[in-house]
Short mmCIF file of all heavy atoms in Angstrom, two decimals:
data_model
loop_
_atom_site.label_atom_id
_atom_site.label_comp_id
_atom_site.label_asym_id
_atom_site.label_seq_id
_atom_site.Cartn_x
_atom_site.Cartn_y
_atom_site.Cartn_z
N SER Q 633 -35.26 -35.57 192.50
CA SER Q 633 -35.67 -36.64 191.62
C SER Q 633 -36.79 -37.44 192.18
O SER Q 633 -37.40 -38.25 191.45
CB SER Q 633 -34.42 -37.56 191.26
OG SER Q 633 -34.02 -38.24 192.37
N ARG Q 634 -37.05 -37.37 193.48
CA ARG Q 634 -38.12 -38.11 194.09
C ARG Q 634 -39.43 -37.33 194.04
O ARG Q 634 -40.49 -37.84 194.34
CB ARG Q 634 -37.72 -38.46 195.57
CG ARG Q 634 -36.64 -39.54 195.63
CD ARG Q 634 -36.35 -39.88 197.10
NE ARG Q 634 -36.22 -38.85 198.02
CZ ARG Q 634 -35.03 -38.62 198.61
NH1 ARG Q 634 -34.04 -39.46 198.31
NH2 ARG Q 634 -34.91 -37.61 199.36
N ILE Q 635 -39.41 -36.05 193.69
CA ILE Q 635 -40.61 -35.33 193.61
C ILE Q 635 -41.26 -35.56 192.16
O ILE Q 635 -40.60 -35.43 191.17
CB ILE Q 635 -40.33 -33.77 193.71
CG1 ILE Q 635 -39.78 -33.53 195.09
CG2 ILE Q 635 -41.56 -32.92 193.47
CD1 ILE Q 635 -39.23 -32.13 195.37
N THR Q 636 -42.54 -35.96 192.23
CA THR Q 636 -43.17 -36.26 190.94
C THR Q 636 -43.66 -35.01 190.29
O THR Q 636 -43.85 -33.96 190.88
CB THR Q 636 -44.32 -37.23 191.18
OG1 THR Q 636 -45.38 -36.53 191.82
CG2 THR Q 636 -43.89 -38.49 191.84
N LEU Q 637 -43.95 -35.20 188.95
CA LEU Q 637 -44.51 -34.05 188.23
C LEU Q 637 -45.82 -33.60 188.78
O LEU Q 637 -46.21 -32.43 188.90
CB LEU Q 637 -44.59 -34.35 186.73
CG LEU Q 637 -45.04 -33.28 185.85
CD1 LEU Q 637 -44.07 -32.05 185.99
CD2 LEU Q 637 -44.98 -33.85 184.35
N GLY Q 638 -46.57 -34.65 189.18
CA GLY Q 638 -47.90 -34.34 189.81
C GLY Q 638 -47.83 -33.56 191.07
O GLY Q 638 -48.58 -32.58 191.33
N GLU Q 639 -46.89 -33.90 191.95
CA GLU Q 639 -46.68 -33.16 193.14
C GLU Q 639 -46.14 -31.76 192.87
O GLU Q 639 -46.62 -30.76 193.55
CB GLU Q 639 -45.61 -33.97 194.07
CG GLU Q 639 -46.13 -35.22 194.60
CD GLU Q 639 -44.93 -36.04 195.20
OE1 GLU Q 639 -43.82 -35.91 194.80
OE2 GLU Q 639 -45.26 -36.81 196.07
N ALA Q 640 -45.28 -31.64 191.95
CA ALA Q 640 -44.80 -30.28 191.65
C ALA Q 640 -45.87 -29.39 191.02
O ALA Q 640 -45.96 -28.23 191.47
CB ALA Q 640 -43.65 -30.43 190.57
N ILE Q 641 -46.68 -29.88 190.20
CA ILE Q 641 -47.74 -29.09 189.58
C ILE Q 641 -48.75 -28.64 190.73
O ILE Q 641 -49.15 -27.52 190.78
CB ILE Q 641 -48.46 -29.84 188.47
CG1 ILE Q 641 -47.54 -30.02 187.28
CG2 ILE Q 641 -49.75 -29.13 188.10
CD1 ILE Q 641 -48.05 -30.95 186.19
N GLU Q 642 -49.16 -29.64 191.56
CA GLU Q 642 -50.11 -29.38 192.65
C GLU Q 642 -49.54 -28.26 193.55
O GLU Q 642 -50.25 -27.33 194.01
CB GLU Q 642 -50.43 -30.61 193.45
CG GLU Q 642 -51.34 -31.57 192.57
CD GLU Q 642 -51.51 -32.90 193.40
OE1 GLU Q 642 -50.97 -33.10 194.43
OE2 GLU Q 642 -52.25 -33.70 192.79
N HIS Q 643 -48.20 -28.37 193.90
CA HIS Q 643 -47.61 -27.40 194.77
C HIS Q 643 -47.53 -25.96 194.08
O HIS Q 643 -47.83 -25.00 194.75
CB HIS Q 643 -46.21 -27.80 195.14
CG HIS Q 643 -45.59 -26.89 196.26
ND1 HIS Q 643 -44.81 -25.77 195.80
CD2 HIS Q 643 -45.70 -26.82 197.52
CE1 HIS Q 643 -44.47 -25.17 196.86
NE2 HIS Q 643 -44.92 -25.78 197.98
N ALA Q 644 -47.22 -25.90 192.80
CA ALA Q 644 -47.19 -24.69 192.12
C ALA Q 644 -48.56 -24.02 192.02
O ALA Q 644 -48.59 -22.85 192.26
CB ALA Q 644 -46.58 -24.86 190.71
N VAL Q 645 -49.51 -24.77 191.85
CA VAL Q 645 -50.91 -24.31 191.89
C VAL Q 645 -51.25 -23.78 193.23
O VAL Q 645 -51.88 -22.67 193.43
CB VAL Q 645 -51.96 -25.36 191.40
CG1 VAL Q 645 -53.38 -24.95 191.66
CG2 VAL Q 645 -51.74 -25.67 189.94
N ASP Q 646 -50.93 -24.47 194.36
CA ASP Q 646 -51.10 -24.06 195.67
C ASP Q 646 -50.44 -22.73 196.02
O ASP Q 646 -50.89 -21.88 196.68
CB ASP Q 646 -50.74 -25.10 196.70
CG ASP Q 646 -51.67 -26.38 196.76
OD1 ASP Q 646 -52.79 -26.29 196.16
OD2 ASP Q 646 -51.26 -27.36 197.26
N VAL Q 647 -49.31 -22.56 195.47
CA VAL Q 647 -48.50 -21.31 195.70
C VAL Q 647 -49.22 -20.18 195.08
O VAL Q 647 -49.21 -19.01 195.71
CB VAL Q 647 -47.09 -21.45 195.12
CG1 VAL Q 647 -46.31 -20.13 195.10
CG2 VAL Q 647 -46.28 -22.47 195.92
N VAL Q 648 -49.79 -20.25 193.93
CA VAL Q 648 -50.36 -19.07 193.21
C VAL Q 648 -51.85 -18.98 193.52
O VAL Q 648 -52.46 -17.90 193.24
CB VAL Q 648 -50.11 -19.10 191.70
CG1 VAL Q 648 -48.74 -19.09 191.33
CG2 VAL Q 648 -50.79 -20.31 191.09
N ARG Q 649 -52.47 -19.93 194.16
CA ARG Q 649 -53.91 -19.93 194.34
C ARG Q 649 -54.36 -18.71 195.16
O ARG Q 649 -55.41 -18.10 194.88
CB ARG Q 649 -54.41 -21.30 195.02
CG ARG Q 649 -55.86 -21.51 194.86
CD ARG Q 649 -56.19 -22.89 195.20
NE ARG Q 649 -56.44 -23.67 193.99
CZ ARG Q 649 -56.04 -24.93 193.85
NH1 ARG Q 649 -55.39 -25.57 194.78
NH2 ARG Q 649 -56.22 -25.60 192.74
N PRO Q 650 -53.73 -18.33 196.27
CA PRO Q 650 -54.13 -17.14 196.97
C PRO Q 650 -54.16 -15.83 196.11
O PRO Q 650 -55.11 -15.11 196.28
CB PRO Q 650 -53.06 -17.00 198.12
CG PRO Q 650 -52.51 -18.36 198.27
CD PRO Q 650 -52.51 -19.02 196.90
N ARG Q 651 -53.13 -15.67 195.33
CA ARG Q 651 -53.21 -14.44 194.44
C ARG Q 651 -54.25 -14.60 193.42
O ARG Q 651 -54.93 -13.64 193.09
CB ARG Q 651 -51.84 -14.26 193.77
CG ARG Q 651 -51.74 -13.08 192.84
CD ARG Q 651 -51.84 -11.83 193.60
NE ARG Q 651 -51.89 -10.71 192.71
CZ ARG Q 651 -52.73 -9.66 192.81
NH1 ARG Q 651 -53.54 -9.62 193.82
NH2 ARG Q 651 -52.73 -8.65 191.96
N ALA Q 652 -54.50 -15.77 192.87
CA ALA Q 652 -55.50 -15.95 191.95
C ALA Q 652 -56.94 -15.64 192.55
O ALA Q 652 -57.78 -14.98 191.96
CB ALA Q 652 -55.51 -17.41 191.43
N ALA Q 653 -57.11 -16.12 193.83
CA ALA Q 653 -58.35 -15.82 194.56
C ALA Q 653 -58.55 -14.19 194.70
O ALA Q 653 -59.68 -13.73 194.54
CB ALA Q 653 -58.34 -16.49 195.93
N GLU Q 654 -57.50 -13.62 194.97
CA GLU Q 654 -57.63 -12.14 195.13
C GLU Q 654 -58.08 -11.49 193.84
O GLU Q 654 -58.71 -10.45 193.84
CB GLU Q 654 -56.25 -11.44 195.45
CG GLU Q 654 -55.76 -11.80 196.84
CD GLU Q 654 -54.32 -11.25 197.09
OE1 GLU Q 654 -53.71 -10.60 196.20
OE2 GLU Q 654 -53.79 -11.55 198.16
N LEU Q 655 -57.71 -12.10 192.66
CA LEU Q 655 -58.07 -11.54 191.39
C LEU Q 655 -59.45 -12.14 190.90
O LEU Q 655 -59.91 -11.78 189.86
CB LEU Q 655 -57.02 -11.90 190.39
CG LEU Q 655 -55.68 -11.27 190.61
CD1 LEU Q 655 -54.66 -11.82 189.62
CD2 LEU Q 655 -55.71 -9.77 190.45
N GLY Q 656 -60.03 -12.97 191.79
CA GLY Q 656 -61.29 -13.67 191.46
C GLY Q 656 -61.20 -14.78 190.47
O GLY Q 656 -62.13 -15.16 189.73
N ILE Q 657 -60.00 -15.38 190.45
CA ILE Q 657 -59.78 -16.50 189.42
C ILE Q 657 -59.77 -17.83 190.28
O ILE Q 657 -59.07 -17.89 191.30
CB ILE Q 657 -58.35 -16.36 188.81
CG1 ILE Q 657 -58.41 -14.98 187.97
CG2 ILE Q 657 -58.09 -17.47 187.91
CD1 ILE Q 657 -57.06 -14.57 187.59
N VAL Q 658 -60.38 -18.84 189.78
CA VAL Q 658 -60.42 -20.09 190.36
C VAL Q 658 -59.49 -20.97 189.48
O VAL Q 658 -59.73 -21.05 188.22
CB VAL Q 658 -61.82 -20.70 190.38
CG1 VAL Q 658 -61.76 -22.13 190.95
CG2 VAL Q 658 -62.69 -19.90 191.28
N ILE Q 659 -58.52 -21.63 190.07
CA ILE Q 659 -57.61 -22.53 189.27
C ILE Q 659 -58.05 -23.99 189.53
O ILE Q 659 -58.11 -24.46 190.62
CB ILE Q 659 -56.17 -22.35 189.73
CG1 ILE Q 659 -55.72 -20.92 189.51
CG2 ILE Q 659 -55.30 -23.33 188.99
CD1 ILE Q 659 -54.28 -20.63 189.96
N ALA Q 660 -58.42 -24.64 188.43
CA ALA Q 660 -58.74 -26.07 188.47
C ALA Q 660 -57.58 -26.85 187.77
O ALA Q 660 -57.08 -26.40 186.71
CB ALA Q 660 -60.04 -26.32 187.69
#
């Protein structure tokens, strides 16, 4: 309950960013 939606979204993006980079995708 102390984790904010902003923190959760940023973390989820960080988790998938390496795979996205392998595919040539930039996540903004």
Side-chain angles (χ1 to χ4, degrees):
S633 68
R634 291 189 302 249
I635 297 171
T636 67
L637 187 54
E639 292 167 334
I641 292 169
E642 288 173 359
H643 186 266
V645 169
D646 288 344
V647 167
V648 300
R649 201 170 257 139
R651 180 65 185 136
E654 289 174 6
L655 297 171
I657 299 166
V658 176
I659 300 175

